[in-house]
């Protein structure tokens, strides 16, 4: 792995904004050191790289002898960081750039983002301690499509078939999905679903893992940032507007909201009905009189660009008469804010 290090000199104020968005580089300290020659600045610190964990979480790990890194300025030769992930370099204060970039001979593509430590003024006879975080490229992420559940209702009991065509590969289904990927069930007056053996289920459950690159976020029906403490009220309102009954709202809120209730901010994107094709398709026979599909993409403490445009959810409520099928699910996209 080859990694270079990059600085650009802009105003000092902008780095605070940048840090709040995506802390690719943390400045831990910047102090005067008279032992450093005039016109020079010592930059030292540690380099971390992001590792994808199971099922959709990740963590940053110090670079080491196996996952090594190198740094180079415009006036220095290539240098390798130490096996404990530390590095140190003496720079002229006139230096305009250093850069971090992965170049692995073992791969034909790069897994880590190129990052920049921008907007920082190197001062003469100072030492600056930093931590550098190399994130995975978002397109390399596999994301869990978590707990899609399917409810079905009718005034009179009817037999129906749901053929599931998940976008990714299935990791779990309940009841177990047959080899033809079709559940054969019957509705009941109490809302439960009954299989051929008379077993009852409150809903059909599936989850899958798929590539983030398959998730077309331009199909999102909304895009909002909600404080964690306001999520319950937010979903009570939006799910009611979407036509959820009290049981479905409770199932959704008690599953998702505890994960984010203590978060400062959560980006919420709804995908509604046909736009749920980003995670898969349902073929239902007989065709429902009413079908509502809801998929929500969450990101905790998101990287917020200055050009972020909020898009409130504006979708009509689904009718509940006749044969009605409702599905909800979601995914947790990794946050880049440290």
């Amino acid at each position: 792995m080859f990694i270079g290090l990059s600085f650009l000199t802009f105003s000092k104020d902008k780095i605070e904004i940048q840090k709040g968005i995506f802390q690719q580089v943390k400045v831990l300290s910047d102090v005067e050191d008279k032992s450093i020659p005039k016109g020079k600045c010592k930059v030292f610190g540690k380099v971390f790289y992001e590792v994808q964990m199971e099922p959709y979480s990740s963590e940053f790990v110090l670079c080491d002898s196996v996952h090594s890194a190198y740094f180079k300025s415009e006036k220095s030769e290539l240098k390798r960081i130490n096996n404990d992930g530390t590095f140190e370099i003496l720079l002229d204060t006139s230096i305009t750039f250093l850069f971090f970039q992965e170049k692995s001979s073992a791969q034909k593509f790069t897994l880590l983002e190129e990052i920049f430590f921008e907007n920082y003024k190197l001062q003469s006879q100072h030492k600056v301690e930093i931590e550098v975080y190399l994130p995975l490229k978002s397109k390399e992420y596999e994301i869990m499509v978590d707990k899609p559940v399917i409810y079905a209702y009718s005034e009179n009991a009817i037999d129906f078939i749901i053929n599931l065509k998940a976008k990714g590969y299935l990791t779990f289904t309940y009841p177990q999905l047959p080899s033809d990927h079709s559940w054969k069930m019957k509705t009941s007056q109490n809302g439960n679903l009954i299989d051929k053996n008379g077993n009852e289920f409150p809903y059909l459950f599936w989850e899958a893992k798929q590539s983030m690159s398959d998730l077309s976020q331009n199909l999102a029906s909304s895009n909002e940032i909600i404080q964690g403490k306001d999520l319950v009220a937010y979903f009570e309102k939006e799910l009611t507007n979407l036509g959820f009954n009290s049981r479905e709202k409770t199932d959704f809120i008690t599953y998702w909201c505890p994960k984010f209730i203590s978060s400062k901010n959560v980006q919420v994107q709804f995908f509604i009905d046909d736009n749920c094709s980003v995670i898969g398709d349902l073929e239902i026979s007989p065709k429902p009189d009413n079908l509502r599909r809801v998929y929500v993409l969450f990101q905790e403490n998101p990287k917020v660009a200055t050009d972020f445009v909020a898009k409130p959810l504006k979708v009509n409520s689904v009718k509940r008469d006749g044969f009605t099928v409702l599905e909800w699910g979601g995914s947790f996209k990794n946050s880049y804010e440290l």
Side-chain angles (χ1 to χ4, degrees):
M1 177 188 292
F2 167 78
I3 297 173
L5 176 65
S6 186
F7 284 82
L8 295 177
T9 53
F10 292 85
S11 68
K12 177 67 177 296
D13 293 337
K14 192 176 178 182
I15 192 170
E16 297 303 324
I17 300 173
Q18 183 74 10
K19 284 171 62 182
I21 298 174
F22 182 4
Q23 291 181 292
Q24 296 171 329
V25 181
K26 288 183 179 180
V27 179
L28 302 182
S29 64
D30 185 344
V31 298
E32 188 177 31
D33 186 341
K34 291 297 186 180
S35 67
I36 298 173
K38 289 185 178 180
K40 301 286 186 179
C41 180
K42 180 187 292 184
V43 180
F44 67 102
K46 296 179 180 178
V47 180
F48 300 80
Y49 67 97
E50 189 173 15
V51 179
Q52 182 71 45
M53 309 297 287
E54 294 292 340
Y56 46 71
S57 63
S58 66
E59 65 182 18
F60 282 90
V61 180
L62 269 174
C63 293
D64 52 29
S65 58
V66 177
H67 297 89
S68 59
Y70 296 81
F71 59 95
K72 183 181 183 299
S73 77
E74 60 190 298
K75 296 182 181 180
S76 69
E77 298 298 321
L78 190 67
K79 296 182 180 180
R80 180 178 174 177
I81 67 167
N82 301 320
N83 288 343
D84 61 357
T86 63
F87 73 97
E88 179 179 304
I89 186 170
L90 190 64
L91 299 171
D92 292 336
T93 54
S94 61
I95 289 294
T96 59
F97 72 88
L98 299 160
F99 66 96
F100 281 86
Q101 180 183 3
E102 178 190 21
K103 289 183 179 179
S104 173
S105 59
Q107 301 165 161
K108 294 183 179 179
F109 56 89
T110 61
L111 290 174
L112 301 178
E113 294 275 8
E114 179 183 89
I115 67 169
F116 296 87
F117 177 29
E118 298 181 302
N119 322 314
Y120 202 85
K121 176 63 178 176
L122 300 179
Q123 300 182 67
S124 176
Q125 294 188 301
H126 272 240
K127 58 181 181 182
V128 180
E129 183 180 8
I130 65 175
E131 287 182 347
V132 180
Y133 295 86
L134 307 177
L136 285 163
K137 291 182 176 179
S138 59
K139 69 179 182 180
E140 303 302 333
Y141 275 111
E142 283 190 318
I143 192 168
M144 286 298 297
V145 179
D146 234 349
K147 201 182 178 181
V149 293
I150 303 170
Y151 309 84
Y153 309 92
S154 63
E155 295 176 359
N156 299 311
I158 62 169
D159 294 303
F160 67 95
I161 300 173
I162 292 184
N163 180 261
L164 172 63
K165 296 184 176 180
K167 180 76 83 172
Y169 59 91
L170 293 170
T171 57
F172 189 78
T173 63
Y174 187 77
Q176 185 173 354
L177 193 64
S179 58
D180 64 357
H181 283 210
S182 295
W183 281 296
K184 299 175 178 65
M185 309 296 289
K186 177 185 290 186
T187 60
S188 67
Q189 288 187 338
N190 64 8
N192 287 344
L193 307 178
I194 306 172
D195 68 9
K196 64 180 181 180
N197 297 318
N199 300 309
E200 294 193 21
F201 305 89
Y203 45 69
L204 307 176
F205 175 98
W206 66 276
E207 67 176 18
K209 184 180 287 188
Q210 71 177 71
S211 171
M212 270 294 295
S213 61
D214 294 332
L215 187 57
S216 300
Q217 294 186 56
N218 61 332
L219 295 178
S221 303
S222 70
N223 187 25
E224 298 185 86
I225 294 179
I226 310 298
Q227 292 185 21
K229 64 182 179 64
D230 297 329
L231 275 181
V232 171
Y234 171 78
F235 280 118
E236 286 177 335
K237 173 178 176 290
E238 297 297 354
L239 297 180
T240 298
N241 291 339
L242 286 168
F244 279 50
N245 63 27
S246 58
R247 173 194 185 191
E248 296 152 0
K249 282 191 296 184
T250 299
D251 288 348
F252 183 100
I253 289 171
T254 56
Y255 181 79
W256 283 109
C257 288
K259 300 178 186 297
F260 305 108
I261 196 69
S262 298
S263 304
K264 179 180 179 182
N265 292 304
V266 182
Q267 183 178 10
V268 177
Q269 293 176 289
F270 275 93
F271 295 74
I272 305 297
D273 295 341
D274 290 345
N275 289 349
C276 287
S277 62
V278 295
I279 62 167
D281 295 305
L282 300 179
E283 291 183 355
I284 307 172
S285 178
K287 183 178 179 180
D289 297 301
N290 308 293
L291 174 62
R292 168 72 4 120
R293 300 188 70 199
V294 175
Y295 167 70
V296 182
L297 182 62
F298 297 85
Q299 185 176 15
E300 184 181 25
N301 299 327
K303 168 185 175 181
V304 183
T306 56
D307 59 351
F308 175 85
V309 178
K311 182 181 179 182
L313 182 62
K314 296 181 180 179
V315 179
N316 293 329
S317 178
V318 67
K319 295 181 179 179
R320 306 291 299 222
D321 57 335
F323 178 34
T324 299
V325 175
L326 184 143
E327 177 193 42
W328 64 258
S331 293
F332 174 28
K333 181 182 177 183
N334 287 318
S335 174
Y336 281 147
E337 183 174 331
L338 301 175

